[in-house]
Amino acid sequence: MKPGLFSPQVLVNSVPPQGDAGLRTLEQSELRGRGRMNPNRIAARENWSYIYSERNSSTVRTHKLLMPVLCLVVLCTFPPTNHAQVPVYEVTPVESTIKFGVDSSVPIKGTFDKWSATMKFSSTDVRSGVLEIEIQADSVNTGSGLKNDKLKSKDFFDVKDFPIITFKSTKVVQTGSNTFDLEGDFTIRGVTKAEKLTLTASGKGSTSGSIDGTMAFDRKDYGMNKSIPFIKIANRVEVNVSLKWRRISGPPPVFEQ
């Protein structure tokens, strides 16, 4: 009988070889087929190789272009910082004082026992400095409990509603070799006005020194219109600051010649 569709001969030939023998058979088949490979298939392979090579070249060129851009972005986003390029100061309160006084028929002078002050520079130019002072109003000390209570009351400092007195400089003008006018915002009793603090600086170029200055203001400009019974009080109030400082890092500020 002639072999049919389901004859053993057809079944055996239709089953692919298994294991190592199968791999060798497939390899031999591929080798025999290479000799008579379709020209279209060869052209397709060459085209694919060319496209792949072009893609690799394009990727390399893109990476080369992106690297400088990425470096520029990183430098702009994270600029190098060198804090040693600006003076860094600290004020030492133990050796410093903030005092006030007002002319009156009975002397009214005192100090503030609780306060803080900072001196900050954004460059080595002394005019870039900013002085900030923050005073606890209820720390006023005249040496007299009666005077202290009167100054803390609503007639004067009103410490319950306005516990903080502040001064922050907004402009530094050098008026001499070591003297300055600091224009700034002075706030007391919730009222802020421009005032001037006149300073003399010592310790130029060194790691420690002091600034001593005076600021005068009219108490009525800030709502302190009352007086103390049987005591005549002037309107002009004078504030004296003596701040000891220490330069903890960076170069000294450069003064105008």
Side-chain angles (χ1 to χ4, degrees):
M1 182 177 66
K2 293 182 180 181
L5 180 61
F6 298 101
S7 65
Q9 183 179 355
V10 175
L11 289 173
V12 170
N13 290 338
S14 64
V15 176
Q18 303 295 318
D20 293 339
L23 292 174
R24 286 194 296 271
T25 302
L26 290 174
E27 291 173 355
Q28 292 169 0
S29 175
E30 288 183 359
L31 289 172
R32 286 194 301 269
R34 287 177 184 174
R36 56 178 182 276
M37 185 175 289
N38 191 317
N40 292 335
R41 183 177 296 180
I42 294 174
R45 285 191 177 183
E46 290 177 351
N47 289 338
W48 172 251
S49 298
Y50 175 77
I51 293 171
Y52 185 74
S53 175
E54 284 297 308
R55 285 182 178 176
N56 283 344
S57 299
S58 177
T59 301
V60 170
R61 288 195 298 271
T62 302
H63 287 172
K64 287 182 178 180
L65 290 172
L66 283 176
M67 285 305 294
V69 176
L70 289 174
C71 291
L72 182 61
V73 170
V74 170
L75 288 174
C76 292
T77 307
F78 305 101
T81 57
N82 188 350
H83 297 290
Q85 296 303 310
V86 297
V88 179
Y89 284 81
E90 69 174 6
V91 176
T92 54
V94 175
E95 304 174 288
S96 306
T97 59
I98 297 180
K99 299 179 179 181
F100 70 93
V102 56
D103 291 336
S104 59
S105 58
V106 175
I108 299 179
K109 295 182 179 181
T111 63
F112 290 99
D113 295 333
K114 296 179 181 179
W115 55 270
S116 62
T118 60
M119 296 167 53
K120 296 181 179 180
F121 292 85
S122 58
S123 73
T124 55
D125 189 336
V126 70
R127 294 169 298 179
S128 72
V130 176
L131 174 65
E132 289 190 65
I133 301 173
E134 185 175 286
I135 301 169
Q136 302 290 331
D138 65 355
S139 70
V140 60
N141 184 4
T142 62
S144 166
L146 180 63
K147 292 178 184 177
N148 291 348
D149 291 342
K150 187 60 178 178
L151 291 175
K152 292 178 184 180
S153 70
K154 287 185 175 293
D155 293 341
F156 291 92
F157 296 159
D158 193 4
V159 299
K160 288 185 178 180
D161 291 332
F162 306 102
I164 304 297
I165 302 170
T166 63
F167 175 83
K168 182 177 180 179
S169 67
T170 56
K171 184 179 181 180
V172 177
V173 179
Q174 185 172 346
T175 56
S177 60
N178 65 334
T179 57
F180 301 87
D181 284 343
L182 270 62
E183 300 174 10
D185 295 327
F186 177 62
T187 302
I188 186 171
R189 290 174 53 94
V191 179
T192 300
K193 291 184 177 294
E195 300 288 358
K196 182 186 294 183
L197 178 62
T198 302
L199 293 177
T200 300
S202 67
K204 177 182 178 181
S206 66
T207 57
S208 63
S210 66
I211 54 174
D212 299 280
T214 301
M215 182 186 73
F217 66 93
D218 190 322
R219 63 186 179 91
K220 290 188 176 182
D221 289 343
Y222 297 88
M224 291 180 279
N225 301 310
K226 300 294 182 66
S227 60
I228 300 176
F230 311 110
I231 299 177
K232 186 178 180 180
I233 304 174
N235 294 334
R236 183 178 184 272
V237 181
E238 190 172 280
V239 180
N240 298 286
V241 299
S242 178
L243 305 178
K244 303 295 182 181
W245 54 261
R246 184 169 67 92
R247 179 162 50 90
I248 58 177
S249 67
V254 178
F255 286 43
E256 291 181 338
Q257 300 299 321

